[in-house]
Amino acid sequence: MQGQLAFAASQLAATEIRAPVSGTILERTAEKGELITAQFASSAEGGPVGSVVSLADLKDLQVELDIAQDDFAKLSSRQKGILSTDAYPDRKYDGTIAEISPEANRQKATVQVKSPDSESG
């Protein structure tokens, strides 16, 4: 009886998925009731997916922006700026330019800028 109880408890514990870090779920690739294995979750289309959720620490964001080449001369490394998104236009984020790509995207006529230390403002 003790063995059966221990086995049932271990089976129940195996139904719980725990994230290795804390954060906010950005995207869920598995739905309630779907079979999840140790390797992959199965998608709605029936194919394997490498993760169950996309998770991010929103206190430590990295932003990649494509800046128009006309505005490139106005930018410099370590320059501070305020960021906003289309999804949350009422939220503002303070950021600092950490990296400016040495190459331009000729198709878009843009230069990529990265800001790894943006914080909610």
Side-chain angles (χ1 to χ4, degrees), residues 7 24 29 33 39 41 64 67 70 82 85 107-108 111 113 118:
F7 178 73
T24 301
T29 56
Q39 295 295 321
E64 293 181 6
I67 303 296
D70 295 342
I82 298 173
T85 65
Q107 290 179 333
K108 292 183 183 178
V111 175
V113 176
S118 300

Side-chain angles (χ1 to χ4, degrees), residues 16-31:
E16 216 173 280
I17 298 173
R18 295 179 185 264
V21 296
S22 62
T24 301
I25 294 174
L26 303 176
E27 179 184 14
R28 185 176 60 193
T29 56
E31 297 297 324

Side-chain angles (χ1 to χ4, degrees), residues 9-17:
S10 70
Q11 292 290 82
L12 180 60
T15 65
E16 216 173 280
I17 298 173

Side-chain angles (χ1 to χ4, degrees), residues 25-61:
I25 294 174
L26 303 176
E27 179 184 14
R28 185 176 60 193
T29 56
E31 297 297 324
K32 184 177 180 179
E34 284 189 76
L35 177 62
I36 307 296
T37 66
Q39 295 295 321
F40 295 100
S42 62
S43 71
E45 294 83 32
V49 177
S51 64
V52 178
V53 296
S54 294
L55 188 68
D57 179 1
L58 297 182
K59 294 177 185 167
D60 184 24
L61 300 174

Side-chain angles (χ1 to χ4, degrees), residues 69-88:
Q69 286 181 356
D70 295 342
D71 296 328
F72 178 70
K74 301 173 188 174
L75 304 176
S76 63
S77 185
R78 306 306 306 158
Q79 181 176 344
K80 296 190 180 299
I82 298 173
L83 308 166
S84 64
T85 65
D86 292 340
Y88 299 103

